[in-house]
Amino acid sequence: GEDVEQSLFLSVREGDSSVINCTYTDSSSTYLYWYKQEPGAGLQLLTYIFSNMDMKQDQRLTVLLNKKDKHLSLRIADTQTGDSAIYFCAEIFSGGGADGLTFGKGTHLIIQP
Amino acid sequence: DTAVSQTPKYLVTQMGNDKSIKCEQNLGHDTMYWYKQDSKKFLKIMFSYNNKELIINETVPNRFSPKSPDKAHLNLHINSLELGDSAVYFCASRFGQGTLETQYFGPGTRLLVL
């Protein structure tokens, strides 16, 4: 079945870059997503990448996709205290006539002053 | 205007009760979802539904049932609540069945079963 794996915690110093890694199993995924969840809040779509792309950059965010290894990463440049959150990697799965998202367990990003 | 809304935001109830969580989307989407996030923050899909078909995650107990009175709503009914049902429940929606559209999530309903 579909599975998405992430490390549970990442600690970085303020101002450094954060790199959150994710591996997925469904090679047919056409879109891969990063969602952000701040404490006590809902899920916010951060960015996504189409499977025929290797890289996508959006301001401080860089997404890298290695489709051969089924590896996805999210790099946050100049990490700020406001980036402290849980980051979920997700891939589409298709079942029957509808589909949903399979999420990783989430990476808790901890910012050290 | 909120795109995907859920009510209530918090729900505290006794074991054995029956409760409902409502979800509404004003985006004109035709596919809606329910997800459960447990105490360890793990997210799992429970249901996906469009106006033609309900897809159920086989791990979801049959005490949970989604009901869609119309295209803009997908409510979650839970019978005989158990302690393990305590979690945050997220509703989401998207347009179409293809993979080109992203899902939009509601703010979540925090359910606590005592």
Side-chain angles (χ1 to χ4, degrees):
Chain A
E2 301 80 14
D3 202 8
V4 180
E5 298 286 341
Q6 300 177 241
S7 300
L8 289 183
F9 295 95
L10 175 66
S11 178
V12 297
R13 290 190 181 279
E14 192 175 357
D16 287 352
S17 293
S18 305
V19 180
I20 303 171
N21 294 303
C22 168
T23 57
Y24 61 96
T25 56
D26 188 354
S27 58
S28 64
S29 291
T30 52
Y31 275 87
L32 294 144
Y33 302 86
W34 284 103
Y35 280 83
K36 177 182 180 182
Q37 186 179 31
E38 294 179 3
L43 288 164
Q44 171 196 352
L45 178 65
L46 203 56
T47 187
Y48 63 92
I49 188 166
F50 190 47
S51 60
N52 69 354
M53 298 169 67
D54 297 325
M55 184 180 86
K56 180 179 179 182
Q57 188 147 6
D58 183 2
Q59 299 181 328
R60 292 191 298 122
L61 304 178
T62 304
V63 180
L64 294 177
L65 175 61
N66 181 330
K67 202 174 178 186
K68 176 175 170 288
D69 294 338
K70 297 179 192 168
H71 182 266
L72 182 73
S73 68
L74 173 69
R75 179 177 179 268
I76 306 172
D78 187 25
T79 309
Q80 303 297 310
T81 54
D83 296 324
S84 183
I86 304 174
Y87 291 82
F88 292 92
C89 171
E91 65 170 347
I92 288 280
F93 81 87
S94 292
D99 52 31
L101 290 171
T102 297
F103 285 89
K105 291 181 176 175
T107 299
H108 295 240
L109 180 60
I110 302 161
I111 316 298
Q112 298 173 31
Chain B
D1 283 344
T2 304
V4 183
S5 59
Q6 296 179 226
T7 52
K9 192 172 178 182
Y10 299 95
L11 181 56
V12 182
T13 188
Q14 298 284 339
M15 217 165 45
N17 285 349
D18 303 336
K19 291 291 178 186
S20 295
I21 306 171
K22 294 184 178 179
C23 176
E24 177 182 3
Q25 52 91 8
N26 61 7
L27 298 164
H29 290 169
D30 53 15
T31 305
M32 297 183 73
Y33 306 84
W34 278 104
Y35 290 83
K36 178 181 178 182
Q37 185 178 39
D38 64 22
S39 58
K40 294 181 180 175
K41 305 293 187 185
F42 301 156
L43 268 164
K44 295 244 174 183
I45 190 166
M46 300 176 72
F47 305 100
S48 62
Y49 179 79
N50 60 29
N51 55 8
K52 296 173 189 168
E53 192 169 5
L54 171 67
I55 304 291
I56 303 171
N57 183 327
E58 60 189 12
T59 66
V60 175
N62 57 15
R63 298 181 294 104
F64 290 79
S65 56
K67 299 271 192 324
S68 181
D70 55 58
K71 203 171 155 182
H73 295 84
L74 184 67
N75 303 325
L76 183 64
H77 298 273
I78 316 170
N79 294 325
S80 302
L81 276 155
E82 299 178 358
L83 295 176
D85 298 332
S86 295
V88 183
Y89 292 85
F90 287 98
C91 176
S93 71
R94 67 187 278 167
F95 183 73
Q97 298 178 27
T99 57
L100 297 180
E101 297 289 330
T102 58
Q103 291 187 20
Y104 293 84
F105 282 78
T109 295
R110 283 145 185 82
L111 171 65
L112 179 60
V113 182
L114 302 174

